[in-house]
Amino acid sequence: MKFWDYSRYDKLAAILLLIISVIAIFFISDTFFKPGSGIYSLNDGWEISLNGVPYSSDSLLDAGLGLIDEGDVVILSRKLPDFKLENPCLIMYSIHALVDVYLDNELIYSFGHDYYENDRTVPKRYNYIALGQDYLGKELRIAISGTRTRSFSGASPITVGERRDILTYHISGMRSNIIIGDFLMILGLALMILSPYMVIYHSNDLRLFFSGLISLLLGLFIYSFYGLIDLLCNNPSLNTICEYSSMYNIPTAIIGYFMSISTDKLKKIFRALFVANVLVFLSVFFFTVIASRRIFEFTPMLQGLALFEAIVCTVIIIRAAAKLFKDPDFRLISSDNVFSAGLIIFTLLSVVDIFRYNYTKYFSKQGESSTTIAFFTAGAVLLVCSLLISYLLYIIYNSNLQSMQSKISSLAYTDPLTGLANRARCEQVMDLLTKERAQYTIISLDLNKLKHVNDTLGHHEGDRLLSGFATILSDCFLDANLVGRMGGDEFIVILTEERALSTTKRIHELYSMISDWNHKEQVFQYSASYGYAYSYEVPSGSAQEVYMLADSRMYEMKREHQSDKRKEVIKNA
């Protein structure tokens, strides 16, 4: 038995190579992210005031300014010492605030006024402010004004360095976030590019696409949270759009993944949640872009929706786990279990960061500017790793299942007349379906007029009728898991997973093919009665019971045909 098909795992080898490359870059990155030595912290020695009321502390880190609302103004001022720098540049972080920087009452930098005057969201930003060469002894005054309720809290740390070094220093401090963000976004794009293969050749399997989308959104959120989009593009508005869009759509992508791995009623529930999320986000985008509403105004509504969906998903995971745990064939290490574990860990770590963020913003003296998403970042990496492992297990399990089915097919018997599976083989496959508890459809078919043809035209014509009908079935159900002859004039077709969803359409195709054969046949005419049943119609039952249900429906159709013929004979008489 061949368990590992190397041609199908080229993608996974490339992914592993990418992971190894990223880790290697992480360990040698000190060589590339080593800033110059002329970097100075400028957090002490300030005169600090809020709305004209001075603060006793001269440190930015423990000033304890509290929450800054719209219209509140924080003033920071101090004399500049000799940094012994040729081209000094300071960096400070602002959160939804107007920033005006003066050197001896001369305005040297301003940010946010154009957004605020046009009633748009003032973005977060790392402000790079050149002090010029003639700075010694001059008074540096920074005015920071809130632009909305609870704009920010605390004061940002301020660092001064050479213009050529300060950017390197900033990037060095966010090195791990850059590498993780790059890794997640590149991996996400790679998986999404590979996903059409799964959609086309593996029954519309979308789990690889949503795995890539989750990874991409996680990486994009990490990048934009730390202002790296603005750093690359010099576009704070784009950074804000990426931050909020990725944050709002991460739950949507996770719901989409659940939708791709679920079946039956759960699939419908997740599909409805997915569509609702997409429509809500498009509505928010419309009001933000067209109606000029501020995007943060929708945050409570979207967070409430995400919380509701998190509760729904958690309940579904717990109920599914409890149900599977009672199954005697329960496997702890399975594709869905690995993903569920990764999602639970990611959720818990994200909740930790949410509490840390709110505590830092509302209760800590350092304020919001010192917040990080370290736990979220670690959870994002674990979640994406769980997705990769889950997908690998899914591929291996399907490969093993296909190999098992192939082995059963080779061991089973073949009907000598039609070349189809005989009754023994059909029963073996049904036993396998019962054990695997897969989703499937069984179609029971009865070839009409076989006895009449045998009695009037001879058994050789009856054999030709049987073999011709077998050919029609084989051609119509090329992708079926099983096409077999149960005996006499009785036939069976078994379709699993996504193939089972279009049974009615396939029956119409069968009748169309029968009609085409009848136009060419001059001795007799092909006709058949059918009945089909889905596995979910007989919960906790065997495939034999599903077949019996399909068979009973076939006989109902056969009786209807016979009744119609009797009525037609009486009418003609």
Side-chain angles (χ1 to χ4, degrees), residues 217 221 242-253 277 281 284 295-300 302-303 306 309:
L217 292 173
F221 178 71
C242 290
E243 179 181 0
Y244 281 93
S245 297
S246 57
M247 179 176 66
Y248 292 157
N249 284 300
I250 288 171
T252 304
N277 277 21
F281 176 74
V284 170
I295 193 168
F296 63 82
E297 296 175 1
F298 300 95
T299 300
L302 295 169
Q303 288 178 340
E309 290 171 347

Side-chain angles (χ1 to χ4, degrees), residues 303-497:
Q303 288 178 340
L305 179 62
L307 178 61
F308 167 76
E309 290 171 347
I311 295 173
V312 170
C313 292
T314 302
V315 170
I316 289 174
I317 290 174
I318 293 174
R319 291 185 62 184
K323 185 177 180 181
L324 289 173
F325 190 74
K326 297 178 181 178
D327 193 326
D329 298 324
F330 171 75
R331 295 178 299 133
L332 180 62
I333 306 300
S334 67
S335 173
D336 293 345
N337 289 350
V338 169
F339 167 69
S340 298
L343 180 60
I344 290 172
I345 294 173
F346 167 73
T347 303
L348 292 175
L349 291 176
S350 299
V351 169
V352 170
D353 261 343
I354 291 172
F355 279 108
R356 289 174 66 241
Y357 172 83
N358 284 282
Y359 174 79
T360 305
K361 179 173 181 178
Y362 295 106
F363 303 105
S364 172
K365 289 185 177 181
Q366 294 182 358
E368 185 178 357
S369 60
S370 63
T371 56
T372 64
I373 51 171
F375 285 93
F376 174 90
T377 303
V381 174
L382 290 174
L383 176 60
V384 171
C385 288
S386 74
L387 286 169
L388 293 177
I389 296 172
S390 172
Y391 183 68
L392 180 61
L393 291 173
Y394 168 74
I395 290 291
I396 293 174
Y397 174 73
N398 275 9
S399 177
N400 290 345
L401 180 60
Q402 290 172 5
S403 299
M404 187 181 300
Q405 290 173 340
S406 177
K407 183 178 181 181
I408 290 175
S409 298
S410 64
L411 294 175
Y413 303 108
T414 301
D415 181 67
L417 175 63
T418 62
L420 301 179
N422 67 1
R423 187 182 189 92
R425 184 175 182 180
C426 295
E427 290 178 347
Q428 287 181 356
V429 173
M430 283 192 283
D431 289 341
L432 177 64
L433 289 175
T434 302
K435 293 177 182 178
E436 294 296 336
R437 298 180 181 275
Q439 298 295 319
Y440 57 89
T441 297
I442 296 180
I443 306 174
S444 175
L445 301 111
D446 186 272
L447 179 61
N448 296 330
K449 300 181 181 179
L450 175 61
K451 184 176 184 305
H452 176 75
V453 172
N454 282 332
D455 292 344
T456 58
L457 301 176
H459 284 277
H460 65 284
E461 290 296 333
D463 291 346
R464 194 165 67 85
L465 177 67
L466 286 167
S467 59
F469 185 66
T471 302
I472 294 173
L473 284 180
S474 298
D475 291 345
C476 182
F477 297 98
L478 282 173
D479 61 341
N481 297 77
L482 177 77
V483 179
R485 181 186 178 195
M486 293 295 286
D489 54 3
E490 297 178 1
F491 294 81
I492 184 175
V493 176
I494 297 178
L495 302 166
T496 65
E497 302 297 343

